[in-house]
Amino acid sequence: MTYLVSYDLNSPGKNYDDLYEAIKATSTGVWCKPLRSVYIIKSNLRAEEIYNRLKSCLDDNDCILVIEVTRESHWYLNKEISDYLYEMLQ
């Protein structure tokens, strides 16, 4: 499955590298970061399982969204990322 993982990180100065690594670790190794606070990942996990693995990296005032992405998606991004996403969704 392909998922969009989006987040609002609201703790100034906090190092969120653990979150970024956890997002990548929930993927099959296929992922991209098309926007500042968004990853698109391929994963064998369900959305709830991804969420449960990521929430420990967040503070109480942070937010996260994990949504399945379908082929019925549209975007306006730079060509390299657009081409990569198109291939991910095939």
Side-chain angles (χ1 to χ4, degrees):
M1 306 295 285
T2 303
Y3 296 96
L4 179 143
V5 179
S6 182
Y7 45 85
D8 285 339
L9 306 178
N10 299 307
S11 295
K14 181 175 177 183
N15 183 342
Y16 283 99
D17 289 342
D18 288 346
L19 173 63
Y20 308 141
E21 292 307 313
I23 291 170
K24 295 172 196 174
T26 61
S27 79
T28 61
V30 177
W31 59 270
C32 70
K33 191 172 189 308
L35 301 170
R36 181 173 292 133
S37 297
V38 174
Y39 279 84
I40 307 281
I41 65 170
K42 287 268 194 192
S43 182
N44 296 321
L45 303 173
R46 295 185 342 265
E48 181 180 9
E49 294 172 306
I50 294 168
Y51 165 79
N52 287 334
R53 291 187 185 193
L54 301 179
K55 70 181 179 180
S56 66
C57 300
L58 303 172
D59 288 338
D60 290 340
N61 62 336
D62 294 330
C63 300
I64 194 159
L65 177 68
V66 180
I67 296 177
E68 184 180 347
V69 176
T70 68
R71 288 184 184 166
E72 185 58 35
S73 300
H74 300 277
W75 56 82
Y76 181 74
L77 300 164
N78 73 47
K79 181 170 176 20
E80 180 181 355
I81 291 174
S82 289
D83 291 348
Y84 190 80
L85 281 176
Y86 179 78
E87 290 300 318
M88 279 179 75
L89 295 174
Q90 294 307 306

